[in-house]
Amino acid sequence: PYPGQIDVAKAVKQSVAGGATAMIMSKGFLRLCAPGWNGRIGILDYLFTYAALSPDPIQQVAISTVEEAARIGADGVCFFVGLSTKNDPYVLELLGKVGDLCDRYGMVFAAEAEFPGFYDSQQSHLEKHGIKYLKFTARLCAELGCDFISTNWTGDRGSFADLVDYVKIPVV
């Protein structure tokens, strides 16, 4: 747990008051926190999570759909893409389908094209996977219909600028 996760509704209210323009959240907390943003910021429904305590802790599991995001009032969806698990083919297939559905519904499609795993250091990921991994994953997201992506810091301005140029869609 992170400190901001203790009272999510309070964290949302503080973020909105501080100038946040968008948030990514899972469907349960989207409903819980709706009064805190009251239409003042963009909301993206998080489509995936992990079974972090399982034998394969980075394997992605779908927890929502584009249709559900539209039904609960989200402006779009966010899809984490951390490749290098046994379910990569499933993730890529679903990524393509989500891109199609977001286009049909007129919803924003964001992707987190990041290193697989939460618990290793940034340096460890750079050594293990490299900037090439980030460029591949981010570009793949762009090619499958994402409107923008977020990704990990590459370590320096030059390599990050190279990644942004390669991806061809906005990168945050």
Side-chain angles (χ1 to χ4, degrees):
Y2 300 102
Q5 293 176 322
I6 303 301
D7 186 344
V8 177
K10 179 181 175 184
V12 167
K13 286 179 186 177
Q14 290 174 332
S15 298
V16 171
T21 59
M23 290 192 187
I24 302 167
M25 217 176 283
S26 304
K27 59 187 173 184
F29 283 116
L30 284 173
R31 292 181 185 108
L32 175 71
C33 298
W37 66 71
N38 197 22
R40 293 179 284 174
I41 63 171
I43 297 298
L44 302 179
D45 181 19
Y46 208 62
L47 296 184
F48 271 86
T49 194
Y50 297 95
L53 301 177
S54 76
D56 189 2
I58 198 66
Q59 185 172 344
Q60 299 172 77
V61 179
I63 58 169
S64 190
T65 64
V66 173
E67 292 88 347
E68 183 175 34
R71 192 173 59 248
I72 63 177
D75 300 295
V77 299
C78 185
F79 192 119
F80 179 84
V81 182
L83 301 176
S84 78
T85 69
K86 290 181 257 178
N87 73 334
D88 284 357
Y90 163 74
V91 170
L92 296 178
E93 180 181 356
L94 195 55
L95 183 65
K97 289 178 181 178
V98 167
D100 175 55
L101 288 170
C102 283
D103 187 51
R104 289 177 192 221
Y105 282 93
M107 296 180 76
V108 173
F109 183 21
E112 294 176 328
E114 299 177 354
F115 289 126
F118 308 110
Y119 306 111
D120 293 336
S121 71
Q122 179 75 0
Q123 188 58 40
S124 173
H125 279 302
L126 282 168
E127 291 169 6
K128 182 177 181 180
H129 302 287
I131 295 169
K132 185 177 181 180
Y133 169 92
L134 292 177
K135 287 174 73 173
F136 170 80
T137 306
R139 177 67 178 253
L140 180 66
C141 291
E143 290 181 10
L144 293 177
C146 291
D147 296 305
F148 70 94
I149 62 128
S150 69
T151 192
N152 300 101
W153 177 243
T154 58
D156 64 79
R157 292 173 72 177
S159 62
F160 196 79
D162 186 45
L163 179 147
V164 169
D165 183 56
Y166 183 68
V167 173
K168 306 299 183 204
I169 63 173
V171 177
V172 297

